[in-house]
Amino acid sequence: MYDLPISDVSREYHFLAGDLLDQAMKKICHCLDQLNDRQVWWRPAPNMNSIGNLLLHLSGNLNQWGVVPFTLENDRRDREVEFSSDIFIPKDELLEQMQNVVERAKDQWQHLEESQLLRRLEIQGFDVSHMHAILHASSHFVGHTHQVILLTRLQLGTQYQFHWSPGEPRGEVPI
């Protein structure tokens, strides 16, 4: 039904979705550079998540929505483990795992033609297009990134170092 070549709009969509992931990773790395491993696993309350839990969740969700639908790999995600309070993984390992998933997702997205973006599939019981899956995955990633920033600021208080403030030289568009 759809056999359109990759268009400028498709390229821009792929770039923007990947750029959201890259910007979020910069924010997450900036936060983790200010924290030790113990702080990464700190929970503000027993029923709340730690930064470590959020990072595991981001990797699991991005893989499920942003990689598996495009590679047709088996989805082996164990979502409940992502929120366990019994886990302790050093922050460097968490970051490496996340960066690998981010790169895999961006690799899958970058060459999709419009016909592929419109293709339907099922994820977590939802009937979505590939385009929807990419939008969900990238916006979900950004949303939890802001939780990582908040949890970092809660722990560091006035010692928190901002990544960027208005009035400073501009680089990329901040998320």
Side-chain angles (χ1 to χ4, degrees):
M1 176 183 218
Y2 300 101
D3 287 326
L4 305 171
I6 193 163
S7 69
D8 292 341
V9 172
S10 295
R11 275 196 251 318
E12 182 70 3
Y13 179 75
H14 305 142
F15 169 77
L16 293 174
D19 188 57
L20 284 174
L21 297 180
D22 289 340
Q23 294 306 314
M25 282 300 297
K26 287 178 186 177
K27 299 284 188 188
I28 290 168
C29 289
H30 178 76
C31 287
L32 292 179
D33 284 345
Q34 299 177 63
L35 301 171
N36 60 40
D37 287 330
R38 182 185 53 75
Q39 291 169 310
V40 168
W41 291 98
W42 170 81
R43 290 172 176 250
N47 64 339
M48 296 181 77
N49 291 314
S50 67
I51 291 170
N53 292 121
L54 291 172
L55 300 184
L56 288 173
H57 176 62
L58 285 173
S59 293
N61 185 273
L62 182 58
N63 191 61
Q64 186 175 48
W65 284 80
V67 176
V68 169
F70 305 96
T71 62
L72 303 178
E73 296 172 5
N74 287 330
D75 182 13
R76 294 173 285 173
R77 181 180 184 194
D78 187 350
R79 190 175 186 279
E80 297 306 312
V81 169
E82 297 165 13
F83 302 106
S84 173
S85 61
D86 299 331
I87 301 173
F88 183 88
I89 301 169
K91 67 179 184 177
D92 293 341
E93 288 181 36
L94 290 169
L95 275 175
E96 183 178 346
Q97 178 183 341
M98 280 184 56
Q99 190 61 53
N100 287 339
V101 175
V102 165
E103 292 307 317
R104 289 191 72 210
K106 289 173 25 184
D107 286 347
Q108 293 303 312
W109 301 347
Q110 70 179 340
H111 300 293
L112 293 173
E113 297 173 3
E114 290 173 5
S115 62
Q116 294 165 306
L117 287 171
L118 298 172
R119 192 170 293 147
R120 308 297 297 181
L121 69 153
E122 186 177 306
I123 305 173
Q124 291 182 343
F126 297 101
D127 177 41
V128 298
S129 67
H130 281 152
M131 183 180 282
H132 185 152
I134 292 169
L135 183 60
H136 168 83
S138 56
S139 63
H140 179 267
F141 203 93
V142 170
H144 283 305
T145 296
H146 291 288
Q147 289 179 312
V148 170
I149 294 167
L150 176 62
L151 289 172
T152 301
R153 292 187 68 187
L154 282 174
Q155 291 184 78
L156 298 180
T158 59
Q159 300 302 308
Y160 176 78
Q161 299 171 8
F162 288 90
H163 180 253
W164 177 84
S165 296
E168 292 181 8
R170 301 198 189 275
E172 60 277 339
V173 175
I175 58 169

PDB file of all heavy atoms in Angstrom, residues 25-40:
ATOM      1  N   MET A  25      20.113  11.692  27.360  1.00  0.00           N
ATOM      2  CA  MET A  25      21.313  11.008  27.866  1.00  0.00           C
ATOM      3  C   MET A  25      22.322  12.017  28.421  1.00  0.00           C
ATOM      4  O   MET A  25      22.964  11.757  29.443  1.00  0.00           O
ATOM      5  CB  MET A  25      21.957  10.152  26.769  1.00  0.00           C
ATOM      6  CG  MET A  25      21.252   8.839  26.515  1.00  0.00           C
ATOM      7  SD  MET A  25      21.164   7.725  27.953  1.00  0.00           S
ATOM      8  CE  MET A  25      22.900   7.389  28.246  1.00  0.00           C
ATOM      9  N   LYS A  26      22.468  13.168  27.776  1.00  0.00           N
ATOM     10  CA  LYS A  26      23.377  14.196  28.295  1.00  0.00           C
ATOM     11  C   LYS A  26      22.928  14.658  29.675  1.00  0.00           C
ATOM     12  O   LYS A  26      23.757  14.835  30.575  1.00  0.00           O
ATOM     13  CB  LYS A  26      23.443  15.388  27.345  1.00  0.00           C
ATOM     14  CG  LYS A  26      24.212  15.106  26.087  1.00  0.00           C
ATOM     15  CD  LYS A  26      24.200  16.294  25.152  1.00  0.00           C
ATOM     16  CE  LYS A  26      24.856  15.922  23.825  1.00  0.00           C
ATOM     17  NZ  LYS A  26      24.806  17.018  22.863  1.00  0.00           N
ATOM     18  N   LYS A  27      21.629  14.849  29.848  1.00  0.00           N
ATOM     19  CA  LYS A  27      21.087  15.273  31.147  1.00  0.00           C
ATOM     20  C   LYS A  27      21.309  14.189  32.201  1.00  0.00           C
ATOM     21  O   LYS A  27      21.689  14.473  33.334  1.00  0.00           O
ATOM     22  CB  LYS A  27      19.593  15.595  31.045  1.00  0.00           C
ATOM     23  CG  LYS A  27      19.251  16.705  30.091  1.00  0.00           C
ATOM     24  CD  LYS A  27      19.576  18.038  30.680  1.00  0.00           C
ATOM     25  CE  LYS A  27      19.039  19.132  29.765  1.00  0.00           C
ATOM     26  NZ  LYS A  27      19.466  20.440  30.145  1.00  0.00           N
ATOM     27  N   ILE A  28      21.040  12.947  31.827  1.00  0.00           N
ATOM     28  CA  ILE A  28      21.221  11.840  32.766  1.00  0.00           C
ATOM     29  C   ILE A  28      22.692  11.707  33.157  1.00  0.00           C
ATOM     30  O   ILE A  28      23.016  11.576  34.344  1.00  0.00           O
ATOM     31  CB  ILE A  28      20.675  10.526  32.162  1.00  0.00           C
ATOM     32  CG1 ILE A  28      19.145  10.593  32.090  1.00  0.00           C
ATOM     33  CG2 ILE A  28      21.135   9.321  32.967  1.00  0.00           C
ATOM     34  CD1 ILE A  28      18.509   9.486  31.268  1.00  0.00           C
ATOM     35  N   CYS A  29      23.588  11.761  32.189  1.00  0.00           N
ATOM     36  CA  CYS A  29      25.023  11.681  32.485  1.00  0.00           C
ATOM     37  C   CYS A  29      25.458  12.840  33.376  1.00  0.00           C
ATOM     38  O   CYS A  29      26.252  12.644  34.306  1.00  0.00           O
ATOM     39  CB  CYS A  29      25.846  11.667  31.200  1.00  0.00           C
ATOM     40  SG  CYS A  29      25.705  10.141  30.267  1.00  0.00           S
ATOM     41  N   HIS A  30      24.938  14.020  33.107  1.00  0.00           N
ATOM     42  CA  HIS A  30      25.262  15.186  33.917  1.00  0.00           C
ATOM     43  C   HIS A  30      24.849  14.952  35.375  1.00  0.00           C
ATOM     44  O   HIS A  30      25.597  15.282  36.298  1.00  0.00           O
ATOM     45  CB  HIS A  30      24.580  16.432  33.355  1.00  0.00           C
ATOM     46  CG  HIS A  30      24.827  17.658  34.150  1.00  0.00           C
ATOM     47  ND1 HIS A  30      26.025  18.336  34.098  1.00  0.00           N
ATOM     48  CD2 HIS A  30      24.048  18.319  35.035  1.00  0.00           C
ATOM     49  CE1 HIS A  30      25.968  19.370  34.914  1.00  0.00           C
ATOM     50  NE2 HIS A  30      24.785  19.384  35.494  1.00  0.00           N
ATOM     51  N   CYS A  31      23.689  14.379  35.575  1.00  0.00           N
ATOM     52  CA  CYS A  31      23.228  14.075  36.933  1.00  0.00           C
ATOM     53  C   CYS A  31      24.104  12.998  37.570  1.00  0.00           C
ATOM     54  O   CYS A  31      24.559  13.147  38.715  1.00  0.00           O
ATOM     55  CB  CYS A  31      21.776  13.614  36.920  1.00  0.00           C
ATOM     56  SG  CYS A  31      20.602  14.944  36.617  1.00  0.00           S
ATOM     57  N   LEU A  32      24.345  11.927  36.850  1.00  0.00           N
ATOM     58  CA  LEU A  32      25.110  10.818  37.423  1.00  0.00           C
ATOM     59  C   LEU A  32      26.559  11.204  37.722  1.00  0.00           C
ATOM     60  O   LEU A  32      27.158  10.657  38.648  1.00  0.00           O
ATOM     61  CB  LEU A  32      25.052   9.599  36.516  1.00  0.00           C
ATOM     62  CG  LEU A  32      23.677   8.941  36.426  1.00  0.00           C
ATOM     63  CD1 LEU A  32      23.719   7.753  35.490  1.00  0.00           C
ATOM     64  CD2 LEU A  32      23.161   8.527  37.783  1.00  0.00           C
ATOM     65  N   ASP A  33      27.083  12.156  36.984  1.00  0.00           N
ATOM     66  CA  ASP A  33      28.439  12.643  37.280  1.00  0.00           C
ATOM     67  C   ASP A  33      28.503  13.315  38.649  1.00  0.00           C
ATOM     68  O   ASP A  33      29.581  13.437  39.226  1.00  0.00           O
ATOM     69  CB  ASP A  33      28.903  13.634  36.211  1.00  0.00           C
ATOM     70  CG  ASP A  33      29.308  12.964  34.917  1.00  0.00           C
ATOM     71  OD1 ASP A  33      29.501  11.725  34.907  1.00  0.00           O
ATOM     72  OD2 ASP A  33      29.416  13.681  33.902  1.00  0.00           O
ATOM     73  N   GLN A  34      27.365  13.742  39.160  1.00  0.00           N
ATOM     74  CA  GLN A  34      27.313  14.424  40.451  1.00  0.00           C
ATOM     75  C   GLN A  34      26.968  13.479  41.607  1.00  0.00           C
ATOM     76  O   GLN A  34      26.952  13.893  42.766  1.00  0.00           O
ATOM     77  CB  GLN A  34      26.271  15.553  40.413  1.00  0.00           C
ATOM     78  CG  GLN A  34      26.591  16.614  39.374  1.00  0.00           C
ATOM     79  CD  GLN A  34      25.517  17.669  39.315  1.00  0.00           C
ATOM     80  OE1 GLN A  34      25.286  18.389  40.285  1.00  0.00           O
ATOM     81  NE2 GLN A  34      24.838  17.766  38.179  1.00  0.00           N
ATOM     82  N   LEU A  35      26.689  12.222  41.296  1.00  0.00           N
ATOM     83  CA  LEU A  35      26.231  11.264  42.300  1.00  0.00           C
ATOM     84  C   LEU A  35      27.168  10.073  42.407  1.00  0.00           C
ATOM     85  O   LEU A  35      27.836   9.704  41.440  1.00  0.00           O
ATOM     86  CB  LEU A  35      24.834  10.748  41.926  1.00  0.00           C
ATOM     87  CG  LEU A  35      23.711  11.776  41.796  1.00  0.00           C
ATOM     88  CD1 LEU A  35      22.465  11.120  41.218  1.00  0.00           C
ATOM     89  CD2 LEU A  35      23.431  12.425  43.138  1.00  0.00           C
ATOM     90  N   ASN A  36      27.157   9.440  43.574  1.00  0.00           N
ATOM     91  CA  ASN A  36      27.876   8.176  43.722  1.00  0.00           C
ATOM     92  C   ASN A  36      26.872   7.028  43.558  1.00  0.00           C
ATOM     93  O   ASN A  36      25.660   7.254  43.431  1.00  0.00           O
ATOM     94  CB  ASN A  36      28.616   8.107  45.067  1.00  0.00           C
ATOM     95  CG  ASN A  36      27.688   8.209  46.270  1.00  0.00           C
ATOM     96  OD1 ASN A  36      26.593   7.651  46.288  1.00  0.00           O
ATOM     97  ND2 ASN A  36      28.144   8.920  47.301  1.00  0.00           N
ATOM     98  N   ASP A  37      27.363   5.800  43.560  1.00  0.00           N
ATOM     99  CA  ASP A  37      26.493   4.645  43.343  1.00  0.00           C
ATOM    100  C   ASP A  37      25.395   4.549  44.400  1.00  0.00           C
ATOM    101  O   ASP A  37      24.252   4.210  44.086  1.00  0.00           O
ATOM    102  CB  ASP A  37      27.307   3.353  43.328  1.00  0.00           C
ATOM    103  CG  ASP A  37      28.135   3.182  42.064  1.00  0.00           C
ATOM    104  OD1 ASP A  37      27.717   3.683  41.000  1.00  0.00           O
ATOM    105  OD2 ASP A  37      29.200   2.540  42.137  1.00  0.00           O
ATOM    106  N   ARG A  38      25.712   4.845  45.629  1.00  0.00           N
ATOM    107  CA  ARG A  38      24.714   4.775  46.700  1.00  0.00           C
ATOM    108  C   ARG A  38      23.582   5.767  46.434  1.00  0.00           C
ATOM    109  O   ARG A  38      22.408   5.445  46.594  1.00  0.00           O
ATOM    110  CB  ARG A  38      25.380   5.059  48.054  1.00  0.00           C
ATOM    111  CG  ARG A  38      24.427   4.970  49.244  1.00  0.00           C
ATOM    112  CD  ARG A  38      25.102   5.370  50.545  1.00  0.00           C
ATOM    113  NE  ARG A  38      25.761   6.672  50.507  1.00  0.00           N
ATOM    114  CZ  ARG A  38      25.128   7.853  50.544  1.00  0.00           C
ATOM    115  NH1 ARG A  38      23.823   7.910  50.600  1.00  0.00           N
ATOM    116  NH2 ARG A  38      25.818   8.979  50.507  1.00  0.00           N
ATOM    117  N   GLN A  39      23.933   6.964  46.010  1.00  0.00           N
ATOM    118  CA  GLN A  39      22.916   7.979  45.730  1.00  0.00           C
ATOM    119  C   GLN A  39      22.038   7.598  44.537  1.00  0.00           C
ATOM    120  O   GLN A  39      20.860   7.942  44.500  1.00  0.00           O
ATOM    121  CB  GLN A  39      23.578   9.333  45.475  1.00  0.00           C
ATOM    122  CG  GLN A  39      24.205   9.939  46.721  1.00  0.00           C
ATOM    123  CD  GLN A  39      25.069  11.141  46.395  1.00  0.00           C
ATOM    124  OE1 GLN A  39      25.924  11.066  45.503  1.00  0.00           O
ATOM    125  NE2 GLN A  39      24.838  12.235  47.107  1.00  0.00           N
ATOM    126  N   VAL A  40      22.609   6.882  43.576  1.00  0.00           N
ATOM    127  CA  VAL A  40      21.839   6.446  42.410  1.00  0.00           C
ATOM    128  C   VAL A  40      20.720   5.487  42.836  1.00  0.00           C
ATOM    129  O   VAL A  40      19.654   5.463  42.220  1.00  0.00           O
ATOM    130  CB  VAL A  40      22.767   5.797  41.361  1.00  0.00           C
ATOM    131  CG1 VAL A  40      21.991   5.061  40.275  1.00  0.00           C
ATOM    132  CG2 VAL A  40      23.674   6.853  40.743  1.00  0.00           C
TER     133      VAL A  40
END
